[in-house]
Amino acid sequence: MIEPHGRGEVFRSPALLSDLDNDISEATDVSAQNPQIVKRLLAFAERAREDIGDVDHPGRNQRPAGEVSNPMTLVIEKREMRSSNLIVRTIFSLFLFNLCYNRVHSLISHREIPG
């Protein structure tokens, strides 16, 4: 696995394999006992690396990083938040009313309750 380390530096960490059914904390490396699984997973990783790239290896289908020319933080003011919450609550209330109305109407039309 490749991990960024500082500015422009890259190092490879060893492949680790854990048995999550018996070791949820991933404290024990079982890669030595399962070389075929490690080999298969590394082959999957290498195919992905060839396709989408990695830190030190451009992939054949790698897209350029997204960039925003004029980035800014978007913050909802409390006043706007209150009005949007009111709108959501109103829509939800109308939805519930419509749901109950349709259910009662259905029961009346099927004569399950007297009309």
Side-chain angles (χ1 to χ4, degrees):
M1 175 181 290
I2 299 174
E3 298 176 13
H5 184 67
R7 201 150 182 66
E9 293 180 50
V10 174
F11 72 94
R12 294 193 184 275
S13 60
L16 303 174
L17 183 66
S18 298
D19 178 2
L20 296 179
D21 286 336
N22 299 306
D23 180 20
I24 194 69
S25 65
E26 301 179 46
T28 306
D29 178 18
V30 294
S31 58
Q33 295 87 355
N34 300 282
Q36 294 295 31
I37 293 173
V38 172
K39 183 179 177 181
R40 198 171 102 218
L41 291 173
L42 288 174
F44 285 140
E46 187 56 33
R47 282 200 309 255
R49 186 172 185 251
E50 293 296 322
D51 185 34
I52 61 173
D54 206 341
V55 174
D56 64 341
H57 180 82
R60 66 181 170 274
N61 293 313
Q62 183 175 354
R63 297 179 293 187
E67 195 172 300
V68 177
S69 58
N70 190 13
M72 66 176 111
T73 304
L74 301 176
V75 178
I76 297 175
E77 292 182 26
K78 286 185 178 184
R79 187 179 81 244
E80 292 176 29
M81 190 179 295
R82 277 192 299 244
S83 63
S84 66
N85 284 342
L86 178 61
I87 291 169
V88 169
R89 287 196 309 265
T90 303
I91 291 170
F92 185 68
S93 296
L94 290 171
F95 169 76
L96 288 177
F97 172 79
N98 193 34
L99 187 69
C100 292
Y101 174 81
N102 287 336
R103 180 65 181 138
V104 169
H105 183 70
S106 173
L107 292 172
I108 291 171
S109 65
H110 290 92
R111 306 222 183 265
E112 295 178 33
I113 59 175

